[in-house]
Structures are given as C-alpha cells and as structure tokens.
Amino acid sequence: MRTTRAYGAQGSEKELTLRTIERRDPRLDDVAVRVTYCGVCHSDLSALHAHAADGDGLLVPGHEFVGEVVAVGDAVTRFAVGDQVAVGNIVDSCGTCAMCRAGQENFCAEFPTLTYGGRDRHDGSTTLGGYSGEYVVRENFVYHRPAHLDPAAVAPLLCAGVTVWEPLRRWAAGPGMTVGVAGLGGLGHLAVRLAAALGARVVVLTRTPGKADDARALGADDVVVTTDDTDLARAAGTIDLLIDTISARHDLGPLLRLVALDGTLVSLGWLGPVSLETPDLLIGRKSLASAGSGGRPRTQELLDFCGERGITADVEVLPSAQVATALRRLAANDVRYRFVLDLSDLSAA
Ligand SMILES: [Zn+2]
Ligand SMILES: [Zn+2]
C-alpha cells in the first residue's frame, strides 16, 4: 500500500480534516497520479452533507483534478512517468454493456465506479477522491491534458466542463444555431464559453441584470433578464438549444417558452421532480432532455478542443488548507466561477 494525505470526513463528521489515507499499489493497468489541483464541485458539498447524515466510513471528496503521473503498472501503454494528466468523476465501468461500448461509460448499466464514494470493482473498497496528494486509477479513465494551459483552470473541465460539452455536441451546437444558457455558475460559464467557441450564437438567461457584463465577457451575444417581461417576450421562441444549469427546483414553463420550433431544453443542474405543462412542449414540438457527466471519448475530445482554442474555466485557487472556506463560500454561491484547491501544500505539511 501507498499512503498519502487527504481531506476527509469520518462517519458523521461535518467538516473535512487532514488525515493520512492508503492508496493501492498500482495494478497492471493502473497509473498513480500526484494530484496538483482539484476543483470544488457542488456534488462535493452535497456528498459531505449526505455523509454527515448517514455517518458511514470515510469520505474524501474531489472528482475533477489534474496532476502528474508518478508510477505506472506493467501493462500501462498510454502513459509514462512525468505525463501531465487529468481525471474526472468516474474511474471505472464494466466495459462491456451497450452504454460502455457506445463510449458512454458515465451511463454504464452496472453503474460506473465513481471517483469518490464508489466501490472499487476488484477489491470492493470505497473510492476516495481528489482532495488528496495522490490518486491511483485505471489508465482507461485518465486523460492527457493540454500542458500549455493553466492546470488549475483545466481541472473544472473534467466535471463541470464535460457535463455541458456532451449536450452541446449531442445537439450539434454550432454556426446558425442559438444556444441559451440558464444559470451562470460553474457549469453555465463553461457552457457559454464552449458554445461560443463552437460558433453558436449564445444567449444568457439570468434573473440578475447585473450579470450582463460578465455574460458578455464570457462570449454571450445577448442577455435575457428572465424577470423582465419585455425581455422574455423579445426572446420567445428563439432558442434552438437551451442548456439549463439552474441548481434549484424551478418551473420549466418560462424557459420552454423561449425555445424555438423543434428546439430542445436540456436540464442539467437540478436532479429531482420538475414541473411543466405539456402545452409548453406541444406548441412548437419542443423536446425536454437531460444528460449527466461524460464518457471517455467526449472527455478527451473536450480537453483537445480546449487545448486548441485556449479555453479554461474561470477559477479562484485556494491552498488546500482552506478547503472549509471554499465549501462555505460555494454553499453561499460566492464564487466566480469555480474554486480549485492547490494541493501542493500537502507535500509540505
Ligand atoms: Zn462534479
Ligand atoms: Zn458498462
């Protein structure tokens, strides 16, 4: 076994504390990654709350990280020590079901192994996440990352980025299409940037007029203030693909009425019951869809695209010792647009 330092919560602990954890020695197809930066995702916050309520075992969050390969198993072919890599929110899958064969390991019929809080398919242990100095992972779920981009700003591409990239690609965002983005947080700000880079016309939908300048700076061509009836009327029926990243329960009707003939609303930010009136789908033959995370092919495609176009997330980097501050501020929506932990203070600790 290898040991490393990590921020974890044991049992019903509500706060993460620095502790020593074990990592497996690399199996034949494993690589060991020294983690340098790990993004702070809303899921991490939810997982910590859920874990405190259930109180079982050790939780180490973190599922969008970058780092450097420090060891490889004997059968590893795609990576060598020193490679700059990235890991997202799944670290294994069955590899044989229809979803896996289609490159959608994120929807694996046997459920993908999550980067933390998952169950290792070989030894049954609980996976511990990227708020740590080192991670050991199958090479199939490790990605080459563009080495010329700021590594801290690349980390959020692995969860927030691929979550919006898959629907943008599935519904072929590009020239001649209008993409709407509702919610301007970790997911939303990347959706704006990526849709604009793909050549689409981008409209940001926000309740806050004060966000208009930020939206345009990210690449939005237009901003619709959803609390302004004049704005809503102006935008009605104009959006071909609406990426909804709002993370609280909300009525889909007002958003659907902005969607164009045969257009699609993709609900990404809210996992739970939704309310809508079917006439809002009927009028204009609109579709309601969803998506979550990404498979291996699209994840590497996103990193390659961002490397070519120089696209990264807007991040606020904090030393990992300030993880509690990052989580508290994230809970208050006080971040533009993603916190990233710098894990280099762990090796000094
Ligand atoms: Zn995430
Ligand atoms: Zn599968």
Side-chain angles (χ1 to χ4, degrees), residues 204-211 223-233 246 254-255 258:
V204 165
L205 314 172
T206 176
R207 293 192 305 179
T208 318
K211 287 193 177 170
V223 176
V224 170
V225 178
T226 54
T227 49
D228 179 332
D229 288 343
T230 313
D231 249 18
L232 285 179
I246 298 169
L255 295 180
L258 302 181

Side-chain angles (χ1 to χ4, degrees), residues 41 43 63 159 338:
C41 177
S43 313
H63 65 194
C159 177
R338 199 73 153 179

Side-chain angles (χ1 to χ4, degrees), residues 64-320:
E64 47 179 42
F65 61 87
V66 298
E68 182 175 315
V69 175
V70 291
V72 295
D74 287 343
V76 167
T77 57
R78 294 169 49 237
F79 297 95
V81 170
D83 282 359
Q84 301 300 309
V85 296
V87 176
N89 54 20
I90 61 175
V91 288
D92 207 355
S93 72
C94 83
T96 56
C97 74
M99 291 292 187
C100 286
R101 291 201 310 276
Q104 299 284 181
E105 297 83 357
N106 49 321
F107 305 135
C108 175
E110 295 185 13
F111 204 74
T113 306
L114 303 178
T115 304
Y116 66 83
R119 180 169 293 273
D120 182 83
R121 300 182 114 77
H122 296 273
D123 62 22
S125 62
T126 299
T127 56
L128 303 173
Y131 292 8
S132 63
E134 187 179 280
Y135 198 103
V136 178
V137 50
R138 271 187 82 190
E139 71 163 327
N140 279 354
F141 290 83
V142 180
Y143 306 94
H144 292 281
R145 70 173 169 84
H148 62 287
L149 298 181
D150 173 8
V154 167
L157 298 176
L158 276 296
C159 177
V162 76
T163 298
V164 296
W165 180 249
E166 280 222 336
L168 286 172
R169 297 285 288 131
R170 159 61 182 83
W171 282 278
M177 182 184 275
T178 295
V179 173
V181 177
L184 207 54
L187 273 64
H189 93 287
L190 284 169
V192 172
R193 207 164 254 168
L194 291 167
L198 286 166
R201 177 174 169 271
V202 182
V203 180
V204 165
L205 314 172
T206 176
R207 293 192 305 179
T208 318
K211 287 193 177 170
D213 288 345
D214 288 347
R216 289 181 196 280
L218 289 166
D221 300 283
D222 195 5
V223 176
V224 170
V225 178
T226 54
T227 49
D228 179 332
D229 288 343
T230 313
D231 249 18
L232 285 179
R234 177 174 67 83
T238 63
I239 293 171
D240 300 300
L241 174 64
L242 202 166
I243 304 287
D244 178 2
T245 73
I246 298 169
S247 60
R249 186 170 185 172
H250 55 288
D251 184 7
L252 297 182
L255 295 180
L256 280 169
R257 292 192 278 278
L258 302 181
V259 173
L261 175 66
D262 287 328
T264 302
L265 186 157
V266 185
S267 174
L268 297 179
W270 167 247
L271 300 177
V274 295
S275 59
L276 71 145
E277 298 291 335
T278 47
D280 283 327
L281 290 173
L282 179 157
I283 300 167
R285 211 163 46 211
K286 297 164 187 177
S287 300
L288 174 63
S290 186
S293 182
R296 295 168 57 219
R298 286 283 188 230
T299 302
Q300 188 62 59
E301 178 189 74
L302 168 66
L303 289 170
D304 294 345
F305 181 81
C306 289
E308 285 163 23
R309 304 300 186 91
I311 295 171
T312 55
D314 280 11
V315 298
E316 184 173 339
V317 181
L318 291 176
S320 72

